[in-house]
């Protein structure tokens, strides 16, 4: 991704999502970020859409490979009076010691990474035993036709939207990992082709 497209994506992200934030995502961000506690890492944190949902006593670290997204996030954190630690890094290779975090949060990010299993492995490395990976993702439609359209649209969609895949079976990848999938809930609303969504959490085994 070039610096120019990174900059452009950061500039349009909040205006592009504002209707979905109000109408669709709010209760799900509350569920994912609002229930995080302790030492919390957010991967692919973008412009900071989850910031206002974290409890005030959460010790928050954020990462994202796009420095322009993190610049916007930092400005929001300052406005909210929230202290954060941030690092420009992909979710496959983050500069933290093993077992550094109680909770890791990822929202609308596993659609964009190159290899979801590599990210889950890195999340597992960084979680303390019993720690939670809390997520909200759009996933491939179970409907035959809708799923097929997402498959066909994927190459163009991925190119236009910074690597976003509309057709991933993200829950299957988490289930196949060494994390224990504890809870998932589907929600069908949101703009097609990036729906349905799933929220949930998985736990690192003790
Ligand atoms: C759709 S945005 C979601 C931003 C934010 N998490 C949210 O919920 O609004 C996808 C984010 O994933 C980031 N991203 C892309 N590739 C990534 C990777 N390999 N590791 C971590 N984050 C990545 C992008 O820079 C972008 O900020």
């Amino acid at each position: 991704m070039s610096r120019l497209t990174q900059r452009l994506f950061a500039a349009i992200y909040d205006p592009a999502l504002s209707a979905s934030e109000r109408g669709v995502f709010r209760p799900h961000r509350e569920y994912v970020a609002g229930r995080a506690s302790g030492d919390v890492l957010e991967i692919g944190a973008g412009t900071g859409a989850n910031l206002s949902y974290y409890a005030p006593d959460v010790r928050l670290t954020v990462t994202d490979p796009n420095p322009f997204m993190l610049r916007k996030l930092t400005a929001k954190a300052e406005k909210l009076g929230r202290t954060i630690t941030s690092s420009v890094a992909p979710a496959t290779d983050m500069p933290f010691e093993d077992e550094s975090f109680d909770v890791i949060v990822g929202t609308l990010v596993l659609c964009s990474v190159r290899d979801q299993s590599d990210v889950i492995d890195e999340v597992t490395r960084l979680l303390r035993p019993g720690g939670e990976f809390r997520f909200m993702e759009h996933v491939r439609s179970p409907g035959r036709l809708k799923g097929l359209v997402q498959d066909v649209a994927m190459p163009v969609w991925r190119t236009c939207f910074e690597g976003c895949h509309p057709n991933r079976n993200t829950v299957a990848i988490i289930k196949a990992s060494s994390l224990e999938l504890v809870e998932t809930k589907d929600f069908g609303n949101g703009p097609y082709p990036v729906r349905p969504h799933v929220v949930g959490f998985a736990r690192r085994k003790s």
Side-chain angles (χ1 to χ4, degrees):
M1 191 186 313
S2 72
R3 299 275 291 178
L4 180 65
T5 56
Q6 281 188 324
R7 196 186 279 269
L8 191 65
F9 190 57
I12 63 165
Y13 190 75
D14 285 348
L17 261 73
S18 64
S20 297
E21 289 298 341
R22 284 192 308 274
V24 180
F25 294 140
R26 184 172 294 170
H28 306 295
R29 290 194 189 277
E30 270 163 12
Y31 166 84
V32 173
R35 297 190 193 182
S37 61
D39 292 309
V40 176
L41 168 67
E42 184 173 340
I43 58 171
T47 59
N50 291 318
L51 274 183
S52 59
Y53 297 95
Y54 288 108
D57 58 348
V58 157
R59 293 175 294 282
L60 184 62
T61 301
V62 297
T63 63
D64 197 288
N66 182 336
F68 303 103
M69 298 292 260
L70 280 187
R71 206 178 278 176
K72 288 190 173 277
L73 183 152
T74 304
K76 273 185 204 163
E78 275 168 18
K79 264 195 188 160
L80 291 168
R82 177 177 274 288
T83 305
I84 52 158
T85 304
S86 70
S87 182
V88 177
T92 42
D93 184 16
M94 292 180 280
F96 310 116
E97 302 281 317
D98 294 359
E99 303 185 3
S100 291
F101 298 100
D102 299 301
V103 176
I104 298 182
V105 165
T107 58
L108 308 177
V109 61
L110 289 176
C111 57
S112 298
V113 302
R114 195 164 299 159
D115 187 318
Q116 294 184 309
S117 297
D118 288 351
V119 173
I120 302 295
D121 287 349
E122 180 71 341
V123 163
T124 306
R125 180 184 77 78
L126 294 175
L127 274 178
R128 295 180 180 137
E132 290 179 3
F133 174 51
R134 304 187 64 83
F135 56 88
M136 173 181 83
E137 296 291 341
H138 61 79
V139 294
R140 189 179 187 278
S141 172
R144 267 184 73 187
L145 186 60
K146 285 185 176 164
L148 186 64
V149 172
Q150 288 171 324
D151 294 341
V152 171
M154 187 273 283
V156 174
W157 190 267
R158 188 182 54 184
T159 307
C160 295
F161 296 100
E162 296 294 292
C164 171
H165 295 65
N167 63 336
R168 282 187 156 168
N169 291 314
T170 302
V171 174
I173 297 289
I174 297 172
K175 267 189 191 156
S177 76
S178 60
L179 295 175
E180 177 193 6
L181 186 62
V182 180
E183 184 170 286
T184 57
K185 289 185 279 183
D186 298 336
F187 59 102
N189 48 350
Y192 187 76
V194 282
R195 70 162 196 251
H197 292 77
V198 61
V199 287
F201 73 95
R203 194 173 278 139
R204 180 171 161 183
K205 291 172 190 153
S206 300

